[in-house]
Amino acid sequence: QVQLVESGGGLVQAGGSLRLSCAASGRSLSANGMGWFRQVPGKEREFVAAIDWSGGRTHYADSVKGRFTISRDKAKNTVYLQMNSLKPEDTAVYYCNGVYYIDYSPLWNSWGKGTLVTVSS
């Protein structure tokens, strides 16, 4: 079992920035990838970004590439998502999860509550 707690969401104007955090506990992350997903009501959850826990290699969805940066703090078992140049279409509930690096699908079937990001125009 793993516990995932997302935080850092809020209301921001277009062009602004937010930094999301995800604290994970109950499972070793040393050999896994971690990432961020987002979901808008009525739409399917989509992949946003992933990071290899050991080596720090990153991968991003085309929609956020160049604007978002994923990072991690191994000592704190925490993954971050720095979001810059936010657009209204980034509005969603953001979730973290382990990530399969083959296809960037979620690793665990238990999700946290997520954190809501609202970008106004």
Side-chain angles (χ1 to χ4, degrees):
Q1 299 94 351
V2 63
Q3 292 286 336
L4 301 167
V5 181
E6 301 93 342
S7 63
L11 175 63
V12 65
Q13 293 182 327
S17 299
L18 283 174
R19 179 170 150 100
L20 308 183
S21 298
C22 171
S25 62
R27 194 183 195 276
S28 175
L29 305 177
S30 62
N32 297 293
M34 285 290 292
W36 289 92
F37 301 79
R38 66 187 182 186
Q39 186 171 33
V40 177
K43 297 182 64 178
E44 294 184 357
R45 183 183 285 111
E46 66 175 354
F47 168 80
V48 176
I51 186 168
D52 172 60
W53 200 252
S54 297
R57 296 183 299 275
T58 59
H59 180 76
Y60 301 92
D62 290 340
S63 59
V64 307
K65 203 167 189 176
R67 300 187 297 118
F68 292 9
T69 302
I70 188 170
S71 62
R72 89 288 199 211
D73 186 329
K74 292 182 178 180
K76 296 181 178 180
N77 269 202
T78 300
V79 62
Y80 305 95
L81 186 67
Q82 178 66 47
M83 306 184 296
N84 299 324
S85 302
L86 283 162
K87 305 175 180 179
E89 46 263 51
D90 294 318
T91 295
V93 177
Y94 284 71
Y95 302 88
C96 64
N97 208 312
V99 172
Y100 286 107
Y101 247 75
I102 298 175
D103 60 359
Y104 308 105
S105 61
L107 195 156
W108 304 305
N109 59 16
S110 181
W111 297 84
K113 293 182 177 180
T115 186
L116 176 62
V117 172
T118 303
V119 184
S120 64
S121 59

